[in-house]
Amino acid sequence: KQEVTQIPAALSVPEGENLVLNCSFTDSAIYNLQWFRQDPGKGLTSLLLIQSSQREQTSGRLNASLDKSSGRSTLYIAASQPGDSATYLCAVSRGSQGNLIFGKGTKLSVKP
Amino acid sequence: GAVVSQHPSWVICKSGTSVKIECRSLDFQATTMFWYRQFPKQSLMLMATSNEGSKATYEQGVEKDKFLINHASLTLSTLTVTSAHPEDSSFYICSASLAAEPYEQYFGPGTRLTVT
C-alpha cells in the first residue's frame, strides 16, 4: 500500500529565506507526482507536476525534484514571501487516470 | 484553463436529510472525476472514482449506498450524502483529470458540509 510522508509537518521562517519541503513515498511505481498548495478552508492549487520519467520541474520561485528510485521528492521555495504561507501537499499517482495519494502536508508560515 | 467548480461552497443540513454536491469541469471534458474528503488538519482521502457513464468505484470503507455518485456527463459529477449524520461533517473536494498525458488533476474549491 502506497504511503506518502511529508516532513516537516510545520515550518516557520522569516521572509526572504530559501526553504525545502520534503516528501517521501513507499512504492516507487508511480505515474507522476504533484505538489499542491492549500490555503485555509480552500481547495487545492496545483503548483508543479513531475512525470515519473522526469527529475525536476520549475515554476518561478518553485523547483520540485523527484528521485523515484529512492522514493523522494523535494519542493524548493526561493526567497520566501508572506504570501507563500499555506499548507503544501505532495501527492503521487498510481497510474494514468489514477487517483492521487496525499501526504498530510507541511504547514508553512513565512513571517514578515 | 482547466477550471473545476463545486456547488455549493458550503452547506448546513439537519441530521437525516440528504445533500447533493455538484462538481463541474468548466472548460474541458473529464471522463474521470474523483471525490475526496478532508477532516480538519488531515490530508485528503479518496472516497471514490467517478467515470462518465458507468458506476463509480468506491474505496474500501466508503459506503456506496450512503455516498451516491452520478457522473452523467463529461463535465458533471454529483455526490449525494444520504441520511446525513454529524460525523459526515467534513470538507468534500472533487477533482477532474485531463484525458491526455500527463493526466494532471485539477481540483475544485471544495464544499464544507456541516450536519447539525
Side-chain angles (χ1 to χ4, degrees):
Chain A
K1 178 184 176 183
Q2 178 74 276
E3 292 183 0
V4 180
T5 303
Q6 290 187 247
I7 295 173
L11 181 64
S12 181
V13 300
E15 181 176 5
E17 272 203 8
N18 302 325
L19 57 99
V20 175
L21 307 181
N22 297 291
C23 172
S24 61
F25 45 96
T26 54
D27 187 347
S28 62
I30 63 170
Y31 187 78
N32 61 40
L33 182 146
Q34 283 186 257
W35 281 94
F36 296 90
R37 168 188 173 136
Q38 185 176 32
D39 293 288
K42 304 294 184 181
L44 276 65
T45 300
S46 179
L47 299 174
L48 290 164
L49 179 149
I50 309 177
Q51 293 181 262
S52 62
S53 59
Q54 299 173 324
R55 294 201 54 94
E56 68 175 342
Q57 284 288 331
T58 298
S59 176
R61 295 183 292 110
L62 305 179
N63 175 276
S65 67
L66 173 64
D67 184 341
K68 201 173 74 162
S69 61
S70 67
R72 296 177 187 274
S73 177
T74 61
L75 178 67
Y76 176 83
I77 302 177
S80 59
Q81 302 171 358
D84 295 331
S85 298
T87 296
Y88 289 80
L89 296 166
C90 166
V92 298
S93 171
R94 63 189 180 194
S96 63
Q97 300 286 312
N99 64 289
L100 294 173
I101 299 170
F102 284 85
K104 291 187 176 181
T106 294
K107 185 175 182 179
L108 173 65
S109 176
V110 181
K111 306 294 185 182
Chain B
V3 177
V4 176
S5 70
Q6 273 184 249
H7 178 79
S9 56
W10 61 269
V11 58
I12 301 173
C13 70
K14 292 185 176 180
S15 187
T17 62
S18 296
V19 61
K20 179 185 286 187
I21 302 170
E22 293 186 348
C23 177
R24 293 181 185 273
S25 56
L26 298 184
D27 50 2
F28 66 102
Q29 293 184 331
T31 54
T32 304
M33 291 184 172
F34 303 91
W35 287 96
Y36 298 83
R37 68 187 296 181
Q38 185 179 33
F39 291 107
K41 298 185 179 181
Q42 298 292 316
S43 192
L44 279 74
M45 296 296 293
L46 179 71
M47 299 176 65
T49 302
S50 169
N51 292 295
E52 187 267 338
S54 63
K55 291 184 178 180
T57 302
Y58 290 81
E59 294 298 300
Q60 190 172 13
V62 178
E63 299 176 59
K64 62 180 181 180
D65 294 330
K66 181 170 184 60
F67 299 98
L68 301 179
I69 291 173
N70 184 276
H71 193 159
S73 76
L74 289 173
T75 60
L76 173 64
S77 176
T78 61
L79 168 68
T80 301
V81 183
T82 63
S83 187
H85 291 282
E87 56 265 31
D88 297 325
S89 298
S90 188
F91 193 53
Y92 293 86
I93 307 178
C94 72
S95 71
S97 176
L98 291 175
E101 290 191 356
Y103 302 106
E104 187 167 359
Q105 287 192 30
Y106 294 90
F107 283 77
T111 296
R112 172 75 58 192
L113 170 64
T114 301
V115 184
T116 61

